[in-house]
Amino acid sequence: MASSRRYLDVLTGLRFLAAAHIGAYHVYHMVFTGTEAPPGLHGLLDSGYVSVGFFFVLSGFILGYHHLERPPDTREARKAFWVARFARLYPLYALGLALAAPAFFKGLHAAWVEAPGELWRLDGALVLAPLLMQSWVPWTALAWNGAGWSLAVEAAFYAVFPFLAVRLGQTGPRALAVGAVAAYALALVLPVLYLLVDPDHGPASSYHSGPWMRALRFNPLARLPEFILGLLAGRYFLLRADAAPRARPVVLTALGVFILAVLMGSASLPFPLLHNGLLAPVFAALFVLLPRSQGLMASVLASRPLRFLGEASYSLYILHMPLLFTWKSVMKRLDVPSTSVGAVAVLTVGVVVLCVAAHQWVEKPARRWIRARWAERAARRAEAGIQPLA
């Protein structure tokens, strides 16, 4: 339990840094429109999308760590796993949709008035976004609450995880190495094909991309290899939990410096590759090594302030865009420059405070309520003598 607690503490703190990177990326593009920071800082701020891939790998790693030794291999176990994932994600996801609804429906009305022929590209999100399916369709992936596209991808991962877990739970070291290489190759093959074929006939970036680029970025099947790589890393971590030596701080420092250098130089790297998993093996290595470190980096990440913020990182991720749009609207009505130091400080502190509040008063109570209702249902089934099916 002690090693498990430390593992969770370290990665919880790391989650906050990744969520903050994504938030800074959106502030940079949506608040400081038309302004470009110095090259290194620009690269760091402009590469926030990489941290979404970080979460895909981390999601696989955490699920592998917790479930691969005892995979959900019966019908009831799979249902319980899916209910737990739903309870973890959907309440705040629904809150994000509610907060983003005014801007979304305003956009629908504008499309109906100005370009009714394009309305079908948005109104599909009315059905797909609440069902966590918007990422399967390129033109609805970013509709409603733009950050929600990755939750639709995660939902697909969770749907297939019990079946993957049964097959990966007994994987040995050699098969893990082969599987990791294959997963990484699969993660990069579609971006490489995109670069070779150039189906959209133009430059691709995080804010300017054609339909093929959108499919590559958002489709769950294109991102599944990153999740599988995380699962394999989680399995490796379990296999080496007792035998592996402590990770040297110098190795972790080198990994951190390498990641930072790649992000700062992101403008010179092919966007499709960087977006779709170029750093996935580096992230996986970081997750394997950090829990075994006693160095300064691990101590800082496991500190109480970062743990506290890391626990609210999902709230920060899924709510920051609706809050950012609301803040911009308020600044416009007050005729206050949104790029002033004071305005950005208010935005930063306000978003963090509101997201922590949502974590405490919406996410956690809703999760407990859903899981309690499921437990009551399972208990009633047991009392009635209904046997779970394998």
Side-chain angles (χ1 to χ4, degrees):
M1 288 297 294
S3 62
S4 176
R5 182 67 257 172
R6 174 159 180 83
Y7 156 74
L8 292 173
D9 287 348
V10 170
L11 292 194
T12 297
L14 192 61
R15 278 165 43 199
F16 171 71
L17 297 184
H21 186 213
I22 296 168
Y25 163 75
H26 286 128
V27 170
Y28 182 52
H29 280 283
M30 297 168 65
V31 175
F32 295 92
T33 306
T35 303
E36 186 166 312
L41 181 59
H42 169 76
L44 182 62
L45 294 173
D46 195 45
S47 59
Y49 54 83
V50 176
S51 287
V52 180
F54 167 97
F55 279 114
F56 291 158
V57 181
L58 179 61
S59 178
F61 188 83
I62 290 176
L63 289 182
Y65 176 81
H66 283 294
H67 295 287
L68 283 185
E69 288 191 330
R70 296 182 62 186
D73 55 0
T74 66
R75 183 176 177 182
E76 283 300 309
R78 289 191 291 270
K79 284 184 178 179
F81 170 80
W82 289 325
V83 168
R85 293 293 89 201
F86 177 86
R88 172 71 175 87
L89 296 183
Y90 203 84
L92 276 186
Y93 177 78
L95 178 60
L97 291 182
L99 292 175
F104 174 65
F105 285 102
K106 182 179 179 180
L108 279 179
H109 180 264
W112 181 72
V113 172
E114 299 170 11
E118 297 295 315
L119 186 60
W120 62 276
R121 293 182 179 273
L122 290 175
D123 59 11
L126 286 169
V127 175
L128 296 178
L131 296 177
L132 282 168
M133 295 181 65
Q134 68 268 39
S135 289
W136 292 96
V137 181
W139 48 83
T140 62
L142 294 178
W144 207 323
N145 181 4
W149 75 267
S150 65
L151 273 298
V153 173
E154 289 279 5
F157 294 165
Y158 297 153
V160 301
F161 170 75
F163 309 102
L164 291 173
V166 171
R167 289 160 177 78
L168 296 178
Q170 302 302 318
T171 308
R174 183 173 299 179
L176 284 176
V178 173
V181 172
Y184 188 46
L186 287 172
L188 298 186
V189 66
L190 289 177
V192 169
L193 285 174
Y194 180 91
L195 290 169
L196 292 174
V197 177
D198 188 20
D200 292 318
H201 305 292
S205 69
S206 56
Y207 273 78
H208 303 282
S209 59
W212 287 101
M213 185 72 249
R214 282 174 169 259
L216 176 66
R217 291 167 60 192
F218 306 132
N219 190 280
L221 294 179
R223 310 309 298 267
L224 182 61
E226 296 164 77
F227 176 74
I228 292 176
L229 189 60
L231 282 176
L232 296 171
R235 171 63 179 164
Y236 176 80
F237 183 86
L238 290 172
L239 287 177
R240 304 285 292 174
D242 297 325
R246 294 286 182 187
R248 295 179 180 273
V250 66
V251 176
L252 289 171
T253 301
L255 282 176
V257 170
F258 177 77
I259 293 171
L260 186 62
V262 170
L263 297 179
M264 293 179 70
S266 60
S268 61
L269 295 170
F271 171 76
L273 288 174
L274 191 57
H275 189 283
N276 279 51
L278 185 64
L279 289 178
V282 184
F283 293 147
L286 194 63
F287 304 153
V288 169
L289 294 174
L290 261 177
R292 299 193 177 104
S293 172
Q294 299 292 337
L296 178 63
M297 182 187 300
S299 298
V300 170
L301 289 172
S303 64
R304 183 173 295 179
L306 275 181
R307 289 203 319 269
F308 177 76
L309 292 171
E311 288 170 356
S313 60
Y314 170 55
S315 176
L316 175 62
Y317 174 74
I318 200 63
L319 299 181
H320 78 275
M321 286 190 72
L323 293 175
L324 178 54
F325 279 118
T326 302
W327 175 84
K328 284 190 67 177
S329 177
V330 171
M331 291 296 101
K332 185 177 180 179
R333 291 183 180 181
L334 296 177
D335 197 25
V336 175
S338 61
T339 57
S340 68
V341 174
V344 173
V346 169
L347 168 66
T348 303
V349 174
V351 167
V352 171
V353 169
L354 289 172
C355 289
V356 168
H359 168 69
Q360 294 289 338
W361 299 330
V362 178
E363 179 184 355
K364 292 168 71 174
R367 186 194 317 170
R368 288 194 297 266
W369 185 86
I370 293 171
R371 297 185 74 164
R373 299 291 80 73
W374 173 258
E376 290 175 3
R377 177 181 177 276
R380 287 196 299 269
R381 288 172 59 86
E383 291 175 0
I386 301 175
Q387 298 296 322
L389 300 175

